[in-house]
Amino acid sequence: MMNVRIRTFTLLCFVLILLMPWVFFVIAHFIDTRSFSLSQANGYTVQMIGAIAGLLLSFFIIGVQMRRLLLKPLEGMSLASRQIAEGDLDVYIPLSRISEIAEVREGFEAMVTGLQKSHRKQMELENNRRFVIAAVAHDLRTPLFALRGYLDGLEQGIARSPEQAAKYVSVCKEKSAQLDRLVEDLFTFTKMEYVEGNLSSETVDLHGVLQRSVDSLRPLAQKKNITIVSEDAGTEHCIIHGDAHLLERAMNNLMDNAVRHTPDDGKIIVRCYRDEQKLIFSVTDSGVGFSEEDLPHVFEPLYRGEQSRNRATGGSGLGLTISQTIVRRHGGELEASNHPRGGALLEGWLPIHSFNHEARVDR
């Protein structure tokens, strides 16, 4: 059945009010006289009763239809609005064949759908927030307890020789660095997930960003005798527009992940080259790679595999999540896979042209 406009419904009601009394008048006259000729009637009492009955019937039909098509949907929207005000988003609004009411109903349903999506997103954010707090609190305990234990050992003189004292100090520095990395990752993750704004736009040499990341992690790589090979198509081809600070943080996380999961005497290959309107970059390590169970969850916050790529490597579980978020904010994408020759492959791309400036993360 097609919808009708309110003016059409009003016109139909007016026609019905005019037509029904006359129809009933004619029917009553025919019943009384067995003829449609009005001149044969001695009186019009029966006919007038029929006309009044037709008028009353028309009012009844119009009232029923107004109740069904106008009043009931409006009452439903009123009840739904009170339910929404009380926090109940599971509402139902009756259908209406009146176009204006149907349009309002569609708008109301769109609003309810938007509220439901917003509520679900808010619940997800709240659950993530609780999960992050609980997980970070758990991760903070281990290095804190170790740091306290070694500091107590130094204070109580357990480390009697200079070599033991140096070892205790070295462990304390390592644990403090782990705490610093965890807190910094948590801070960056919080900014990327919950702070809205525009990313700053500046000319960025991605090759230089990757080289600085390599240089900053080279001392750690040298301790494990890891070889880092940088392959690129020249710095002139690796220029983009973006937030240099955040991009450097993203690349640092990728390099840090590769160094931590590459075994001694391993190799890391860093690539950066241009492909049409995209800038492709990748980091490949010679570790055991990701397991099939881990791959779908690599970029989930605080997810760490239970076997080769786990908490023992010292990661916070936020590094890859932060990197993917930063790359996506710049209009690109970051994906994880295993290289055909073995090892983990983290590959992404960034658009050559400037990105959408609607989501800024203030530093």
Side-chain angles (χ1 to χ4, degrees):
M1 185 183 297
M2 295 180 57
N3 290 350
V4 296
R5 309 295 296 184
I6 187 69
R7 57 178 177 270
T8 305
F9 178 77
T10 304
L11 180 61
L12 291 174
C13 293
F14 182 71
V15 171
L16 185 66
I17 291 174
L18 294 178
L19 186 62
M20 287 293 289
W22 174 249
V23 171
F24 272 65
F25 180 89
V26 173
I27 292 174
H29 178 74
F30 178 77
I31 294 174
D32 185 39
T33 63
R34 300 297 177 181
S35 173
F36 288 108
S37 176
L38 297 179
S39 61
Q40 296 183 13
N42 296 325
Y44 293 100
T45 303
V46 175
Q47 291 86 336
M48 292 303 298
I49 293 174
I52 294 173
L55 182 63
L56 294 177
L57 181 60
S58 65
F59 282 136
F60 175 78
I61 294 174
I62 292 172
V64 170
Q65 294 302 314
M66 287 186 64
R67 168 67 179 171
R68 184 174 69 90
L69 301 178
L70 292 174
L71 299 181
K72 192 173 181 181
L74 291 176
E75 290 174 356
M77 283 187 279
S78 175
L79 177 61
S81 63
R82 287 193 292 269
Q83 286 182 253
I84 293 173
E86 295 173 358
D88 181 11
L89 299 180
D90 187 16
V91 297
Y92 170 76
I93 305 172
L95 295 173
S96 175
R97 294 298 180 182
I98 304 299
S99 297
E100 290 83 352
I101 303 297
E103 291 170 1
V104 173
R105 181 183 183 277
E106 290 175 0
F108 200 93
E109 284 190 331
M111 179 193 70
V112 172
T113 302
L115 288 174
Q116 289 174 340
K117 291 181 179 178
S118 177
H119 179 70
R120 285 194 295 268
K121 184 177 180 180
Q122 185 64 34
M123 291 299 297
E124 290 175 1
L125 288 175
E126 180 63 19
N127 291 334
N128 287 339
R129 184 187 67 83
R130 293 177 180 176
F131 174 71
V132 168
I133 291 175
V136 170
H138 178 271
D139 284 357
L140 285 172
R141 292 175 60 187
T142 302
L144 279 175
F145 285 163
L147 189 61
R148 180 188 300 174
Y150 280 97
L151 288 175
D152 288 343
L154 288 173
E155 182 182 30
Q156 297 169 10
I158 296 176
R160 301 183 183 276
S161 66
E163 291 78 11
Q164 286 182 319
K167 179 180 178 181
Y168 275 41
V169 171
S170 176
V171 173
C172 289
K173 290 175 64 177
E174 178 186 348
K175 296 304 178 183
S176 64
Q178 185 177 344
L179 286 172
D180 178 71
R181 183 169 57 247
L182 179 61
V183 172
E184 187 176 358
D185 281 348
L186 178 62
F187 179 64
T188 304
F189 172 75
T190 303
K191 289 199 302 181
M192 295 304 298
E193 289 296 320
Y194 299 105
V195 178
E196 298 294 334
N198 291 326
L199 290 168
S200 62
S201 178
E202 53 191 300
T203 301
V204 180
D205 176 12
L206 192 62
H207 172 267
V209 170
L210 283 167
Q211 190 59 49
R212 287 193 294 272
S213 299
V214 170
D215 293 340
S216 65
L217 288 165
R218 196 176 294 279
L220 179 59
Q222 289 176 346
K223 289 183 179 180
K224 301 174 66 175
N225 198 27
I226 296 174
T227 302
I228 301 179
V229 179
S230 180
E231 299 178 0
D232 61 85
T235 58
E236 68 275 8
H237 299 292
C238 294
I239 304 298
I240 61 172
H241 294 282
D243 191 309
H245 174 77
L246 290 177
L247 288 173
E248 186 166 347
R249 182 60 192 277
M251 300 306 139
N252 281 342
N253 288 345
L254 298 183
M255 288 300 305
D256 178 71
N257 180 81
V259 171
R260 285 189 289 106
H261 296 107
T262 300
D264 294 351
D265 302 315
K267 184 178 180 180
I268 297 174
I269 300 176
V270 181
R271 292 186 176 90
C272 177
Y273 60 93
R274 178 170 177 167
D275 180 18
E276 296 181 351
Q277 296 303 313
K278 294 180 180 180
L279 197 62
I280 310 297
F281 61 91
S282 65
V283 178
T284 309
D285 63 56
S286 59
V288 297
F290 300 103
S291 68
E292 293 299 325
E293 293 77 14
D294 292 342
L295 269 177
H297 310 284
V298 167
F299 296 107
E300 292 181 5
L302 298 173
Y303 180 85
R304 281 157 293 196
E306 296 298 330
Q307 298 178 5
S308 60
R309 307 175 79 87
N310 56 20
R311 298 174 190 268
T313 60
S316 66
L318 293 172
L320 294 183
T321 305
I322 292 171
S323 294
Q324 187 187 60
T325 303
I326 292 174
V327 172
R328 285 181 173 177
R329 290 285 179 91
H330 284 78
E333 186 56 85
L334 178 65
E335 298 178 348
S337 62
N338 289 318
H339 197 276
R341 292 192 297 270
L345 171 61
L346 292 166
E347 185 175 26
W349 62 269
L350 291 166
I352 297 296
H353 299 297
S354 58
F355 51 87
N356 189 347
H357 298 271
E358 291 184 356
R360 177 188 172 98
V361 177
D362 296 324
R363 299 196 294 272

